[in-house]
Amino acid sequence: MSSGDRAAAALLSWYVDMGVDEALAAAPLNRFRGTSPPSGPAEGEADRGGVGQAVPAATLQELRSAVENFHGCALRTDANRTVFADGNPEAGLMLIGEAPGREEDRVGLPFVGAAGKLLDQMLAAIGRDRTSAYITNVVFWRPLNNRTPTDEEMAACLPFVRTHVSLVRPRAILLLGAASARVLLGTRLGISKLRGQWHEISVGDLSPVPALPTFHPAFLLRQPARKADAWEDLRRLQRHLDTA
Ligand code: URA
């Protein structure tokens, strides 16, 4: 059996465990592909990210072990470690990045490489650190060569990420980079259009969580001139946290 076959078999078995017992169409429908997202907003409309279901888990520990036992995302075949989260889930602030890189895959924690060092500085700029922020990604395994995860890889992990949000119940979410913003807001708009404006992520019965997209720290390392925009976004975030 190839690793692709094993991933497909594992995904099917996970669907069965989750109570999915019927195929609605002979061919799969990729709802992330197309000229506009099925549930995403038109340009200029407000977002209420609500795509993807949640998975059953009553605690973060249960969720972590559900992720560790999940074989439905092809990324994990080549990864050394599952990278679940770091920081303080009680902090009120949740940061969601894109995907673990080489260092994260080695250590098993998000944002511990070069981009992570810049992220720590960004947090320090608003008086926070990893004891006062909670950090995760939209996929839990490193894509080889640090490529952007595919829509399918992000879709496979999305139910876990949504459950993650519902268990942490943050007062605000900072979405780091285009991939994170697009999958969680269900939009195809680029990060330059999305950044700096509040959106909402709705999960289950939870009141919608305010979510602010900003540039990914790895992008800021390549384009330091955009740090001024990110700083503006961080100040907006801080104002929200101070008043919420
Ligand atoms: N980039 C991310 O998006 N996440 C990490 O954990 C590290 C780098």
Side-chain angles (χ1 to χ4, degrees), residues 83 97-101 104 109-113 115-116 135-137 176 216 218:
V83 177
E98 181 177 307
E104 290 77 19
L109 291 171
F111 283 99
V112 289
I135 308 174
T136 186
N137 284 303
L176 298 165
H216 192 285

Side-chain angles (χ1 to χ4, degrees), residues 129-145:
D129 60 18
R130 290 180 190 231
T131 65
S132 44
Y134 185 71
I135 308 174
T136 186
N137 284 303
V138 289
V139 299
F140 303 98
W141 300 277
R142 178 195 180 207
L144 274 188
N145 303 319

Side-chain angles (χ1 to χ4, degrees), residues 37-63:
S39 58
E43 199 158 322
E45 269 179 24
D47 263 319
R48 291 177 71 88
V51 286
Q53 300 302 309
V55 294
T59 63
L60 285 172
Q61 195 44 50
E62 274 183 35
L63 181 66

Side-chain angles (χ1 to χ4, degrees), residues 119-168:
L119 184 63
D120 287 339
Q121 289 171 14
M122 291 164 72
L123 283 172
I126 54 166
R128 292 193 176 235
D129 60 18
R130 290 180 190 231
T131 65
S132 44
Y134 185 71
I135 308 174
T136 186
N137 284 303
V138 289
V139 299
F140 303 98
W141 300 277
R142 178 195 180 207
L144 274 188
N145 303 319
N146 295 343
R147 63 170 169 76
T148 304
T150 64
D151 288 348
E152 287 79 4
E153 289 157 354
M154 290 193 284
C157 294
L158 185 57
F160 297 95
V161 179
R162 289 175 57 74
T163 302
H164 215 164
V165 170
S166 73
L167 290 172
V168 173

Side-chain angles (χ1 to χ4, degrees), residues 32 37-42 45-52 96 138 154 158 161-162 173-191 193-202 209-214:
F32 284 84
S39 58
E45 269 179 24
D47 263 319
R48 291 177 71 88
V51 286
I96 309 184
V138 289
M154 290 193 284
L158 185 57
V161 179
R162 289 175 57 74
I173 297 177
L174 188 65
L175 297 170
L176 298 165
S180 159
R182 283 171 48 173
V183 70
L184 278 159
L185 300 178
T187 177
R188 290 203 159 267
L189 292 179
I191 189 68
K193 290 239 163 69
L194 293 168
R195 65 148 280 273
Q197 288 176 31
W198 285 106
H199 301 256
E200 284 180 342
I201 296 177
S202 299
V209 184
L212 185 67
T214 192

